[in-house]
Amino acid sequence: MSPFTIAIDGPAAAGKGTISKAVAAHFGVAHLDTGLLYRAVGARMLRGDDPIEAARKLEADDLENPDLRTAEVAQAASRVAIIPEVRAALLDFQRAFARRSGGAVLDGRDIGTVICPRAEVKLFVTASAEIRARRRLAELLDHGFDTDFEAVLADVKARDDRDMNRADAPLRPAEDAVTIDTSTLDVDAAIAAAIAAVEARRAG
Ligand code: CDP
């Protein structure tokens, strides 16, 4: 198979991470969770650093911080994600990753629209806000965080709003993206739908 880039975008907690990992494993290509880059910059901002400087100096170690999962960091991520200089500082790393010779899966908000507009396959993974909040709640409780449904739903909605309405690289499906609504799909069915969509695109 020739090298190819798979762009997977969608709103907060839509299941992009799970699907992206499984798709990357299935096709034997590398995976980059681009949300981690913004979360790492957001975490630095919460510690008092300037977000633009933090984005320019981001290191691999910054992505290992276990606190990056928290809702507080997620909110900070979506705030720094509005800043054009932050997005610009993270662009080259993402594009270089996408061009790996073995092919790559990148997941985020603007992969199909801005980072890799020529990606061979683009998926837009979505689900209702309530379902996304329920799934994210289970994930956070599983990791030992103390939170509740209302708080998680509020976080998801606030980030969706900020992500969709920012001027620079707003969240929206690329024109040639295949949309997968996972509201009524379990994990296995969502992964199967994503793999089928990739195969259909590559065959066509
Ligand atoms: O895992 P979840 O979907 O909740 O969020 P994430 O993918 O880790 O992204 C955290 C935040 O980073 C998002 O709410 C966006 O504001 C921002 N982000 C972005 O602007 N562009 C990307 N390519 C990825 C994330």
Side-chain angles (χ1 to χ4, degrees):
M1 225 183 239
S2 54
F4 63 107
T5 303
I6 302 172
I8 304 186
D9 291 305
K16 298 182 304 292
T18 308
I19 289 175
S20 302
K21 270 188 216 116
V23 167
H26 180 85
F27 291 100
V29 302
H31 168 229
L32 178 66
D33 169 2
T34 65
L36 267 188
L37 305 174
Y38 293 90
R39 284 174 181 259
V41 174
R44 286 288 202 97
M45 181 182 71
L46 291 175
R47 293 206 297 270
D49 292 349
D50 174 69
I52 298 172
E53 280 305 300
R56 289 181 180 151
K57 290 184 188 152
L58 206 65
E59 289 173 3
D61 272 2
D62 290 314
L63 307 181
E64 303 297 326
N65 177 355
D67 291 346
L68 297 186
R69 277 182 202 280
T70 66
E72 192 193 7
V73 169
Q75 284 292 336
S78 79
R79 288 181 193 282
V80 301
I82 292 172
I83 306 170
E85 291 87 347
V86 166
R87 305 198 72 85
L90 301 176
L91 192 77
D92 288 349
F93 176 78
Q94 296 176 81
R95 288 207 174 135
F97 192 97
R99 283 195 296 264
R100 278 164 177 245
S101 57
V105 175
L106 283 81
D107 80 88
R109 301 292 186 286
D110 62 339
I111 308 303
T113 50
V114 174
I115 305 295
C116 306
R118 297 209 302 231
E120 282 77 3
V121 186
K122 298 178 187 175
L123 305 182
F124 192 80
V125 178
T126 187
S128 74
E130 284 71 19
I131 286 177
R132 289 185 282 126
R134 212 175 297 146
R135 290 181 188 152
R136 179 53 51 91
L137 175 65
E139 201 182 318
L140 289 169
L141 294 177
D142 211 40
H143 282 89
F145 294 109
D146 179 25
T147 183
D148 59 40
F149 178 76
E150 291 307 325
V152 177
L153 182 62
D155 167 64
V156 159
K157 285 186 170 170
R159 284 200 290 135
D160 284 357
D161 187 50
R162 217 178 278 129
D163 291 349
M164 290 188 293
N165 293 310
R166 67 185 175 218
D168 193 15
L171 168 67
R172 59 179 174 77
E175 270 174 27
D176 49 350
V178 178
T179 295
I180 299 177
D181 187 328
T182 68
S183 299
T184 60
L185 303 178
D186 65 17
V187 173
D188 289 346
I191 291 170
I195 290 172
V198 173
E199 276 168 351
R201 274 294 159 104
R202 283 186 56 78

